[in-house]
Amino acid sequence: MSDSSSRPPATATPGHWSFTRWNTVGQLEALEVNHPLFRAVLFLQGAQLTHFAPADERNWLWMSELARFQPGRAIRGGMPVCWPWFGIPARNAPEIRKRILRDTPHGFARTSLWRLEDVRESAHEVEISLSLHANDEFAAVWHGHAMALITFSFSVRGCQVGLTTTNLGRDPLAFSQALHTYLPTEDIVRTRILGLGSSQYIDTLQGWQYVNQEGPVYFDGEVDRIYEAGEPVSLVTPGNKRILNPVGSDSTVVWNPGPEKAKRLSDFPESGWQKMLCIETANAASDYRVLNEGQSHTLGLFLGRKGKRP
């Protein structure tokens, strides 16, 4: 479905970039940003961010030490883009399921080669835009015609992401999606999420039953929940506090594989579940979206320090 042998053209001339450079990691091409104020690494495959941090700080994203960087293989960690469906096809709405022609989770965007559209740099910020044209090239896996445009804005304040979907077909387009953000922690049992305490969630481990959340979210084993909430949340770990501020979302997925599932996951260290979690800004479950011809929808996220917003 994609050809990684040729580098997509950029609207910004590479020689004019001050802080951004091409780099090859494993078998994949990436854009590496080394700004005096921050650093970022963004892969063309999957439009996947694997590193962001202000200068002299550790990666704000969790990456598996076993991650492999190969064409067509999902990268374990960072911020995968799940699109144009989230989760397993069978758990999506009928309008979404009828377009899916292959029984694989999380869509095809995360293993597809995206096109570099633009790189913009300033003394305080770097902005990178990538696009994926989902047309007849994907006819074997999905029935639809849409454009996904994702823009990453990096600054010392944090990382802002906007994923815009435009329906280029004549029929209404139903889709689900998520920015599947992996986040690090020093100790999962001493980690909590604030901001979801007054919401309901679907517990996918308990027959997809609805449960009321009371107080902060804590972790004591495998967690896989879809919260019916699109408000800012705070992640409190033993060493850091982060805020995730969503846009265009009324659902938030919280995930940790726990000890047993971690053993079965690909490219995942057996004890890795103790040092990570996912908070996913999503349009999932009943929060899926429908676009008429020519309409667009943007799913966005700001990841920053607690108390600081863009």
Side-chain angles (χ1 to χ4, degrees):
M1 288 185 294
S2 60
D3 179 10
S4 60
S5 63
S6 60
R7 178 175 292 155
T11 57
T13 305
H16 293 173
W17 299 341
S18 299
F19 312 115
T20 306
R21 296 289 184 271
W22 288 105
N23 191 18
T24 300
V25 181
Q27 301 175 46
L28 301 180
E29 287 194 302
L31 288 164
E32 187 170 318
V33 179
N34 286 293
H35 191 281
L37 300 177
F38 51 84
R39 180 172 180 265
V41 178
L42 177 62
F43 283 81
L44 292 188
Q45 177 171 287
Q48 187 159 340
L49 184 68
T50 59
H51 186 105
F52 170 77
D56 302 322
E57 293 190 26
R58 294 182 179 180
N59 193 358
W60 284 20
L61 303 171
W62 180 85
M63 281 296 299
S64 170
E65 62 195 41
L66 303 178
R68 287 185 273 181
F69 302 92
Q70 301 171 351
R73 186 181 189 92
I75 301 171
R76 178 68 71 182
M79 191 184 293
V81 177
C82 303
W83 185 92
W85 67 89
F86 171 78
I88 59 174
R91 285 295 183 176
N92 277 266
E95 299 97 313
I96 299 173
R97 289 202 307 268
K98 71 180 183 180
R99 292 184 173 274
I100 303 172
L101 306 178
R102 187 173 295 175
D103 191 24
T104 55
H106 296 320
F108 51 78
R110 63 182 183 152
T111 55
S112 297
L113 190 65
W114 291 55
R115 173 190 173 97
L116 176 62
E117 292 292 341
D118 201 5
V119 175
R120 297 186 180 187
E121 301 181 330
S122 73
H124 303 286
E125 188 176 57
V126 172
E127 183 178 283
I128 301 177
S129 297
L130 305 170
S131 66
L132 180 65
H133 191 180
N135 52 16
D136 293 341
E137 185 180 356
F138 298 91
V141 296
W142 184 71
H143 175 65
H145 189 192
M147 175 71 77
L149 177 69
I150 190 166
T151 298
F152 297 84
S153 298
F154 308 114
S155 72
V156 71
R157 297 170 302 167
C159 171
Q160 189 159 350
V161 186
L163 174 62
T164 299
T165 301
T166 302
N167 180 12
L168 301 179
R170 295 182 177 180
D171 299 325
L173 174 69
F175 66 103
S176 57
Q177 58 182 342
L179 300 170
H180 195 305
T181 309
Y182 286 78
L183 297 159
T185 178
E186 296 79 6
D187 184 357
I188 191 64
V189 300
R190 293 191 294 146
T191 296
R192 64 189 187 274
I193 301 172
L194 309 176
L196 297 172
S198 60
S199 58
Q200 278 192 327
Y201 65 86
I202 299 171
D203 193 334
T204 71
L205 304 178
Q206 301 295 328
W208 288 68
Q209 297 181 33
Y210 278 90
V211 181
N212 291 316
Q213 177 68 42
E214 297 181 3
V217 179
Y218 290 97
F219 299 83
D220 58 1
E222 184 179 358
V223 172
D224 193 352
R225 303 171 181 174
I226 304 174
Y227 284 84
E228 293 187 331
E231 300 300 318
V233 300
S234 298
L235 171 64
V236 182
T237 71
N240 289 294
K241 296 179 180 179
R242 300 276 183 257
I243 187 169
L244 291 88
N245 191 17
V247 174
S249 166
D250 290 314
S251 53
T252 302
V253 179
V254 176
W255 180 74
N256 179 283
E260 295 305 316
K261 187 168 185 178
K263 298 176 183 178
R264 305 192 301 269
L265 290 174
S266 61
D267 306 337
F268 195 98
E270 190 169 314
S271 62
W273 66 276
Q274 300 174 10
K275 302 293 185 180
M276 57 71 65
L277 69 152
C278 288
I279 303 176
E280 307 171 38
T281 304
N283 295 130
S286 61
D287 182 37
Y288 72 94
R289 301 302 166 105
V290 180
L291 299 175
N292 291 323
E293 180 182 3
Q295 286 186 327
S296 298
H297 169 70
T298 298
L299 176 70
L301 164 68
F302 173 71
L303 172 63
R305 291 186 177 87
K306 189 176 180 182
K308 291 189 177 183
R309 300 189 186 184

